[in-house]
Amino acid sequence: VALKRMLNFNVPPVKNSTGEPVWKVLIYDRFGQDIISPLLSVKELRDMGITLHLLLHSDRDAIPDVPAVYFVMPTEENIDRMCQDLRNQLYESYYLNFISAISRSKLEDIANAAIGANAVTQVAKVFDQYLNFITLEDDMFVLCNQNKELVSYRAINRPDITDTEMETIMDTIVDSLFCFFVTLGAIPIIRCSRGTAAEMVAVKLDKKLRENLRDARNSLFTGDTLGAGQFSFQRPLLVLVDRNIDLATPLHHTWTYQALVHDVLDFHLNRVNLEESAGTESTPAGARPKKKNKKSYDLTTSDKFWQKHKGSPFPEVAESVQQELESYRAQEDEVKRLKSIMGIEGEDEGAISMLSDNTAKLTSAVSSLPELLEKKRLIDLHTNVATAVLEHIKSRKLDVYFEYEEKIMSKSTLDKSLLDMISDPDAGTPEDKMRLFLIYYISSAQAPSEIDLEQYKKALMDAGCNLAPLSYIKQWKAFTKMASAPTSYGNATPKPLGLFSRVMNTGSQFVMEGVKNLVLKQQNLPVTRILDNLMEMKSNPETDDYRYFDPKMLRGSDSSVPRNKNPFQEAIVFVVGGGNYIEYQNLIDYVKGKQGKHVLYGCSELFNATQF
């Protein structure tokens, strides 16, 4: 909503305007591009009158009779370039929107350039948009993508970090969170664990919100914000968690569709990049083998299949794609018939005579054809994506890993020794083995003895693993008090069901032999459990000493005793140090069982196990 308002020159778009939109140019930097691209497609931009969208630092030609909307970070080089645009008189008028608040001195630089270029009247509006965060789903956001190594897990947890560097990182995170709440139009109640990076974020965010509320003239949280209508009267709860409370989940092999896509494919800002296997089309004899071409697909909120199945276990997804395909094939004859009605096939008399007396049929054909073609496109997309995922599952035995790790994390009996798994040459890549061992190491109550550890290390080395992560986890485990009480992951192990009926048919797209049909049981991960305690006001030693901040109170009090005793309806969980789709999915499943509650998941960056 905020972006659309900005593209409409900062006035809310009128619903029923008949006329053409005002044609305009959109100029953004890489940050702006990352914020807009998961939310608005090129077609939606065009509907809003954006004829051209260009990067700020590309060579752009002058278009003197068109207004330009800028959406950029207020950095030195961006501002220099904008001043240059003013001097070169590129556009008719300029609407300058800054992703994050611009400083006074930089505004003066622009003003001076405008005076120098005699273009003061052309600068129509200057806005701080407070949109410095990237929304990936209706209930999920990440902070940044461009220089995410600045706020990565590694940056925060480096042993040699200086205080000033830490301040900078925290300010970056707080700036984005502040933008997030300005856009929501709500002041949260903040809870965080003590003695972690999350606590530093909480203190700074509390201070920043407090200062903004005190400054009554310029407060961003007065009545006319966009988000005023989105929330009930209650204020949302913000739970700030540190990644270090749970390092096993980011390494865990997963079984739900979205998390699998993120784990094994190149999935980034809602777009997945696939290499198409060359073997699909039969090449005529003697022809050169086709080179692999890359395809990218957008998995967005408008994709109904994705919305419905992104949290489903993979076998269910394969079955649903198959069902969709069969129902489409049934309609395919209908498509052929419609085409012939519309005379697309060939202009024979039959088609034309039908045209004259079938006007009604014709209108229905016109309306249902695009819908069927769109359905076909989605089926093809998910067939390709799911097939690519399936190849990974089969070649790396990911189903075995997933089941085994779930057993380790839920402390159930193991049917096969860990050493066998590690030394099995057919199961998984060296990286898969390392992930498995780290999870075992993190979730074991007491660390394995030196003798055992040496044995594991040797097996891992023989399997070609890089042992660097182990030394970090060893230090981490010695350092955190967590070693005394390992995080519990519930005690639900996945149940294998019977083999897939539909997918096992020979006619199916997906050859699922040998892949276990595992079904998940809902169990709360540590992040979800912490949220549950704080949102429902349950007393629990794990969360009782969490600090409590309320930026609306006149004096900040350093208490962990909540003033508010009622359970919350809305909550935002934010993981400092990075998050993943496994936790996101776990939260969504948790909320499904709660009537009328909303939970949003945010993290400083999104990584899969490899990146982690």
Side-chain angles (χ1 to χ4, degrees):
V1 173
L3 281 174
K4 286 186 167 165
R5 178 165 163 169
M6 174 188 87
L7 294 176
N8 203 32
F9 305 126
N10 290 304
V11 275
V14 187
K15 283 281 187 300
N16 50 8
S17 56
T18 44
E20 292 272 277
V22 181
W23 299 111
K24 47 195 170 289
V25 187
L26 171 64
I27 313 260
Y28 46 55
D29 58 0
R30 292 256 177 245
F31 288 91
Q33 186 179 25
D34 287 341
I35 293 170
I36 293 174
S37 67
L39 292 174
L40 298 170
S41 63
V42 176
K43 179 183 172 303
E44 289 171 287
L45 287 176
R46 198 171 301 120
D47 293 344
M48 300 207 55
I50 306 286
T51 49
L52 213 54
H53 43 100
L54 303 162
L55 279 166
L56 177 67
H57 294 283
S58 56
D59 293 329
R60 304 189 309 276
D61 302 328
I63 314 178
D65 47 356
V66 171
V69 175
Y70 286 76
F71 184 52
V72 295
M73 283 296 253
T75 59
E76 285 289 330
E77 48 188 337
N78 284 354
I79 299 225
D80 290 347
R81 187 61 192 259
M82 289 160 99
C83 296
Q84 200 179 317
D85 287 356
L86 289 171
R87 281 191 218 93
N88 299 342
Q89 298 185 343
L90 287 190
Y91 307 108
E92 177 201 46
S93 55
Y94 304 85
Y95 292 80
L96 309 182
N97 297 284
F98 296 103
I99 297 173
S100 201
I102 183 173
S103 65
R104 170 92 199 214
S105 61
K106 290 191 176 133
L107 257 182
E108 287 170 0
D109 295 345
I110 298 180
N112 288 330
I115 291 170
N118 204 357
V120 180
T121 48
Q122 288 167 296
V123 179
K125 285 182 181 171
V126 181
F127 266 86
D128 286 335
Q129 286 295 347
Y130 293 101
L131 288 174
N132 191 12
F133 57 94
I134 301 173
T135 311
L136 295 178
E137 307 269 348
D138 290 346
D139 44 19
M140 176 182 201
F141 66 98
V142 294
L143 291 197
C144 60
N145 170 44
Q146 280 308 314
N147 38 13
K148 60 175 178 226
E149 59 282 348
L150 295 180
V151 295
S152 65
Y153 176 82
R154 187 177 167 276
I156 300 172
N157 292 286
R158 282 208 337 259
D160 55 348
I161 188 165
T162 63
D163 285 357
T164 43
E165 288 174 307
M166 194 65 172
E167 287 288 305
T168 318
I169 294 173
M170 293 298 128
D171 286 340
T172 315
I173 294 180
V174 167
D175 178 64
S176 284
L177 280 172
F178 181 71
C179 290
F180 177 77
F181 286 107
V182 172
T183 306
L184 268 190
I187 304 267
I189 285 173
I190 306 172
R191 302 293 304 266
C192 69
S193 50
R194 292 174 184 268
T196 55
E199 182 177 27
M200 299 166 72
V201 173
V203 173
K204 278 184 177 292
L205 183 62
D206 178 61
K207 181 164 170 274
K208 187 157 184 164
L209 287 166
R210 200 175 282 278
E211 283 167 1
N212 192 273
L213 286 170
R214 294 297 154 271
D215 178 4
R217 238 188 34 208
N218 300 320
S219 174
L220 298 160
F221 294 98
T222 46
D224 63 330
T225 51
L226 294 170
Q230 295 175 345
F231 274 97
S232 55
F233 296 111
Q234 259 205 338
R235 289 162 54 196
L237 165 75
L238 169 65
V239 182
L240 287 163
V241 207
D242 195 278
R243 180 72 274 162
N244 282 321
I245 61 158
D246 172 16
L247 290 182
T249 305
L251 297 166
H252 189 17
H253 287 86
T254 167
W255 200 234
T256 57
Y257 191 26
Q258 184 175 35
L260 267 169
V261 170
H262 188 231
D263 191 7
V264 300
L265 304 177
D266 171 17
F267 180 57
H268 190 66
L269 292 185
N270 293 353
R271 169 171 290 183
V272 62
N273 295 312
L274 286 185
E275 277 196 357
E276 286 206 316
S277 49
T280 43
E281 304 87 42
S282 51
T283 40
R288 280 183 312 193
K290 293 196 172 93
K291 70 177 201 320
K292 287 193 171 183
N293 47 354
K294 278 196 162 21
K295 288 207 84 161
S296 66
Y297 302 107
D298 289 319
L299 297 171
T300 57
T301 37
S302 57
D303 178 338
K304 297 213 179 52
F305 185 88
W306 177 244
Q307 284 313 93
K308 191 170 160 197
H309 292 292
K310 64 183 184 198
S312 313
F314 186 74
E316 256 178 55
V317 175
E319 203 160 322
S320 307
V321 173
Q322 192 58 32
Q323 269 169 343
E324 291 279 317
L325 194 60
E326 283 166 21
S327 80
Y328 173 75
R329 283 195 179 134
Q331 286 170 303
E332 203 161 26
D333 308 333
E334 176 72 352
V335 173
K336 292 202 178 98
R337 202 178 61 78
L338 293 176
K339 279 187 169 167
S340 73
I341 290 181
M342 295 173 71
I344 300 173
E345 294 308 314
E347 297 294 309
D348 57 339
E349 286 89 285
I352 291 163
S353 67
M354 280 168 75
L355 271 184
S356 51
D357 62 343
N358 283 8
T359 342
K361 272 192 185 161
L362 188 66
T363 41
S364 81
V366 173
S367 60
S368 56
L369 196 60
E371 198 178 307
L372 282 169
L373 293 174
E374 172 62 9
K375 194 171 175 184
K376 172 90 171 84
R377 186 186 73 80
L378 289 181
I379 293 172
D380 291 347
L381 184 158
H382 287 287
T383 306
N384 291 344
V385 173
T387 309
V389 172
L390 183 61
E391 280 169 15
H392 281 276
I393 293 179
K394 282 160 69 170
S395 64
R396 291 162 52 182
K397 299 206 172 144
L398 298 184
D399 49 336
V400 183
Y401 274 96
F402 167 69
E403 192 179 23
Y404 199 84
E405 286 166 14
E406 289 274 303
K407 283 182 180 166
I408 292 178
M409 287 159 86
S410 61
K411 311 266 186 295
S412 19
T413 46
L414 304 173
D415 48 355
K416 187 177 174 187
S417 84
L418 186 61
L419 262 172
D420 290 349
M421 283 284 285
I422 294 172
S423 33
D424 176 358
D426 297 333
T429 58
E431 192 177 87
D432 291 325
K433 296 179 177 178
M434 196 66 206
R435 280 163 66 177
L436 173 69
F437 183 69
L438 289 176
I439 289 176
Y440 165 71
Y441 193 86
I442 290 168
S443 30
S444 57
Q446 59 270 6
S449 66
E450 281 302 312
I451 307 161
D452 289 355
L453 194 60
E454 282 311 310
Q455 220 180 345
Y456 284 130
K457 273 188 170 169
K458 185 178 175 325
L460 288 164
M461 295 277 282
D462 293 344
C465 301
N466 169 9
L467 292 182
L470 182 59
S471 50
Y472 176 77
I473 295 284
K474 260 170 100 169
Q475 286 171 336
W476 169 82
K477 194 157 182 169
F479 182 72
T480 40
K481 301 195 204 61
M482 301 294 291
S484 56
T487 325
S488 80
Y489 293 91
N491 50 3
T493 48
K495 297 261 181 291
L497 278 187
L499 295 169
F500 320 99
S501 48
R502 177 171 264 108
V503 189
M504 278 310 189
N505 301 349
T506 42
S508 164
Q509 288 277 328
F510 300 100
V511 190
M512 300 286 282
E513 296 118 324
V515 177
K516 299 186 177 184
N517 189 359
L518 301 169
V519 172
L520 297 167
K521 278 177 63 180
Q522 168 64 19
Q523 58 194 45
N524 290 341
L525 293 173
V527 171
T528 311
R529 233 185 15 253
I530 290 170
L531 169 83
D532 181 48
N533 292 339
L534 295 172
M535 199 168 172
E536 302 293 344
M537 292 289 168
K538 295 178 182 167
S539 171
N540 186 311
E542 190 178 14
T543 50
D544 280 348
D545 69 332
Y546 270 45
R547 290 186 62 179
Y548 178 91
F549 296 92
D550 182 348
K552 279 193 174 173
M553 298 306 256
L554 276 169
R555 310 184 290 291
S557 61
D558 180 33
S559 75
S560 48
V561 183
R563 295 283 171 79
N564 164 355
K565 289 280 183 280
N566 305 338
F568 286 90
Q569 295 306 110
E570 275 108 13
I572 295 109
V573 180
F574 186 82
V575 188
V576 179
N580 52 56
Y581 282 112
I582 306 178
E583 283 174 343
Y584 163 66
Q585 196 51 53
N586 194 258
L587 279 171
I588 291 189
D589 293 341
Y590 160 78
V591 174
K592 273 183 195 151
K594 309 273 174 206
Q595 220 61 52
K597 300 207 180 243
H598 298 287
V599 175
L600 310 176
Y601 177 74
C603 48
S604 47
E605 59 164 341
L606 200 54
F607 44 56
N608 61 20
T610 315
Q611 294 156 338
F612 186 47

